[in-house]
Amino acid sequence: IQTEIDRVMAVKNQANPPISLITGDMILNSSDRYGIEPRILVTLLRKESGLGTKMLTENNPGNILNTDEGGRQKYNTIEEGVDAAAREIARRRVDDDLVLNK
């Protein structure tokens, strides 16, 4: 996971790549805690905050509970923000055995 984070940062700006405050360990710990696939968490964090290069003052790399009207959710640490994103993915997960239009 850390290799993927480093690769994405290098591609963003090859001359001066941004530094992500999110680590592979944070991704793996939160993914394990909530039973989700780490790649899904990386994808969400990449889309919502450039893997933690945006929204740094809020520590909310998953953009969780922020509203279009300007409501902002802040977390004390970036780890708490990553954990909140993993928790939200787990909450919205559709179980494999769910059959739609039953």
Side-chain angles (χ1 to χ4, degrees):
I1 298 295
Q2 188 63 53
T3 302
E4 177 63 10
I5 292 171
D6 294 341
R7 185 193 67 76
V8 169
M9 293 298 103
V11 169
K12 282 177 145 300
N13 184 346
Q14 293 180 1
N16 188 18
I19 304 296
S20 175
L21 299 178
I22 297 170
T23 66
D25 285 342
M26 286 180 206
I27 299 287
L28 291 173
N29 290 339
S30 292
S31 295
D32 286 347
R33 185 174 294 115
Y34 292 100
I36 64 168
E37 173 60 46
R39 293 177 294 175
I40 294 172
L41 182 54
V42 169
T43 300
L44 173 78
L45 299 176
R46 184 175 178 185
K47 163 80 170 73
E48 293 296 335
S49 69
L51 281 170
T53 59
K54 302 174 195 165
M55 291 182 248
L56 297 179
T57 60
E58 299 169 358
N59 289 319
N60 190 353
N63 198 24
I64 304 303
L65 298 177
N66 288 346
T67 67
D68 292 338
E69 293 77 31
R72 296 286 178 242
Q73 174 66 43
K74 295 182 180 182
Y75 297 97
N76 292 324
T77 66
I78 195 76
E79 291 91 347
E80 286 180 17
V82 170
D83 219 42
R87 184 174 52 248
E88 188 65 13
I89 291 169
R91 186 181 75 79
R92 294 177 181 226
R93 177 180 43 219
V94 175
D95 292 328
D96 291 337
D97 61 347
L98 179 66
V99 178
L100 301 177
N101 299 322
K102 205 171 187 182

